[in-house]
Amino acid sequence: MSNTFGKVFTLTTFGESHGEAIGGIIDGMPAGIHIDVDFIQHELNRRRPGQSHITTGRKEDDKVELLSGVFEGVSTGTPIGFVVSNTNQHSHDYENMRNVFRPSHADYTYYSKYGIRDHRGGGRSSARITIARVVGGALAKLALRQLGISITAYTSQVGDISLERDYSKYDLEAAESNIVRCPDQQKAKEMEELIAAVKAEGDTVGGIITCVVKGCPAGLGEPEFGKLHAMLGAAMLGINAAKGFEYGDGFGSATARGSEQNDIFVSSEQADETGKRKITTLSNHSGGIQGGISNGQDIVFRVAFKPVATLLREQQTVTVDGEETILKAKGRHDPCVLPRAVPIVEAMTAMTILDAYMLCKAKKS
């Protein structure tokens, strides 16, 4: 089960960074959903390597091939199998890492757990495995689109360069107009320059991605175990290099007063499906989730990512036999994960929201 995500809408993944391919099986996809293959490929293109001078130089087409579960362009409700071939592996770049543990990587923990590890690009622990998540997320987005639910993530901080926390001050669609995926064009330029400078030093830098879910109905999530924010937190912290998660005002709530934090309920002029006036709030400090259940407001959260652990400079480490040594990594690596992590955050969010929706729907049926 450690390779399967979700309860009703599920994704099971397989593959390694330098293996033949990355792939997966989606189960629980609703029948009758138009499967836009171009859209799925577009989402993969947003994640793929080699897309700019501030990302890894590995060149992969990341062309997705759907193997099952789709007939005449529509989902059949049966498992959707897919595969994306690896075509540009430089496994020799990792030969000097065969018998050493890279600092802050999963090398030592994988070796401790399994007694064996794939040293080529991290094997199963590589961020390349997130290809399968992006495909699953793209399919989930297609299903959520019919429900009027949209998901947009963007880079809100790189190093010490950050945007205001209030996402409503930005045109979020503008994030796709620059290589950092930041909706503020001036800040994006500063972030790009910082990443480039860090890369030139053989170093790396981290940051924060903000995600906004619009159109999510009230009632998703469970009141005890299975709270919606816990589901989202688990999904986000399962992404490579993710180190922190907060929703709504998050840790900022710790220094506020209740009178500053409470989201006051008011009646809207609009009517719901039953004819009653819709209920909304004057603020959204809760981030769209209260008591572990969505309240119909925008769901807003932030994910912190650490600097990439692979440095193109010398670092002290030890061999598998415990002997001290010096390692200098070779190969093609991202100096900052943020630009390519944006579509991954969206993908994991889409799968989580769709899974929660289907769980809620199943309980009502």
Side-chain angles (χ1 to χ4, degrees), residues 57-362:
R58 180 171 178 171
K59 298 292 185 181
E60 295 278 5
D61 290 335
D62 285 354
K63 187 73 174 178
V64 64
E65 181 182 1
L66 301 183
L67 305 175
S68 62
V70 180
F71 179 66
E72 295 183 341
V74 176
S75 60
T76 62
T78 58
I80 298 177
F82 63 88
V83 67
V84 175
S85 297
N86 292 326
T87 61
N88 191 233
Q89 310 96 309
H90 286 183
S91 298
H92 59 273
D93 287 342
Y94 296 87
E95 192 58 34
N96 67 323
M97 305 178 193
R98 177 183 289 273
N99 295 311
V100 300
F101 298 128
R102 294 171 296 172
S104 286
H105 273 278
D107 296 349
Y108 175 72
T109 52
Y110 266 55
Y111 188 78
S112 298
K113 183 176 180 66
Y114 300 107
I116 187 173
R117 68 181 177 90
D118 185 346
H119 68 282
R120 304 166 305 166
R124 183 71 173 156
S125 69
S126 170
R128 184 153 179 78
I129 307 305
T130 59
I131 283 174
R133 304 183 187 202
V134 173
V135 174
L139 289 165
K141 280 186 176 183
L142 291 173
L144 292 174
R145 184 184 292 175
Q146 297 197 5
L147 300 173
I149 300 173
S150 65
I151 298 165
T152 306
Y154 61 94
T155 299
S156 54
Q157 183 171 337
V158 172
D160 59 358
I161 302 171
S162 62
L163 305 187
E164 291 187 38
R165 290 178 64 100
D166 186 357
Y167 66 92
S168 67
K169 295 184 180 297
Y170 303 98
D171 173 11
L172 302 189
E173 298 301 321
E176 289 299 312
S177 65
N178 58 73
I179 60 177
V180 184
R181 294 200 163 90
C182 171
D184 184 312
Q185 302 306 316
Q186 179 56 41
K187 291 287 187 180
K189 187 174 185 300
E190 295 175 17
M191 291 174 179
E192 178 184 341
E193 291 172 349
L194 174 60
I195 296 171
V198 167
K199 179 181 179 181
E201 297 171 357
D203 213 338
T204 60
V205 65
I208 294 174
I209 289 175
T210 298
C211 187
V212 182
V213 182
K214 291 182 174 292
C216 185
L220 303 191
E222 301 301 319
E224 184 59 15
F225 303 109
K227 295 177 186 291
L228 185 56
H229 61 267
M231 292 173 67
L232 286 167
M236 296 307 121
L237 293 174
I239 300 173
N240 305 58
K243 300 294 285 186
F245 171 84
E246 64 174 3
Y247 70 103
D249 283 0
F251 285 98
S253 304
T255 57
R257 301 290 180 90
S259 56
E260 299 172 312
Q261 283 287 297
N262 284 354
D263 295 317
I264 304 302
F265 288 108
V266 294
S267 294
S268 169
E269 294 298 323
Q270 296 179 317
D272 61 20
E273 60 275 6
T274 67
K276 295 181 180 179
R277 295 175 72 179
K278 286 185 177 180
I279 294 175
T280 186
T281 58
L282 294 178
S283 56
N284 191 20
H285 300 293
S286 302
I289 303 171
Q290 294 170 327
I293 302 172
S294 61
N295 67 1
Q297 304 303 305
D298 290 349
I299 295 174
V300 187
F301 60 85
R302 290 155 44 99
V303 188
F305 287 86
K306 71 172 184 175
V308 176
T310 299
L311 308 183
L312 297 181
R313 55 167 64 178
E314 292 186 347
Q315 293 186 89
Q316 183 175 333
T317 187
V318 298
T319 68
V320 294
D321 297 319
E323 298 178 356
E324 293 187 357
T325 187
I326 298 297
L327 170 70
K328 183 175 182 180
K330 302 176 183 178
R332 304 158 296 178
H333 307 280
D334 285 292
C336 178
V337 301
L338 276 297
R340 295 175 60 214
V342 166
I344 302 168
V345 167
E346 291 183 1
M348 296 305 295
T349 303
M351 288 192 289
T352 301
I353 295 298
L354 181 58
D355 195 34
Y357 177 85
M358 295 179 73
L359 279 167
C360 183
K361 185 178 179 180

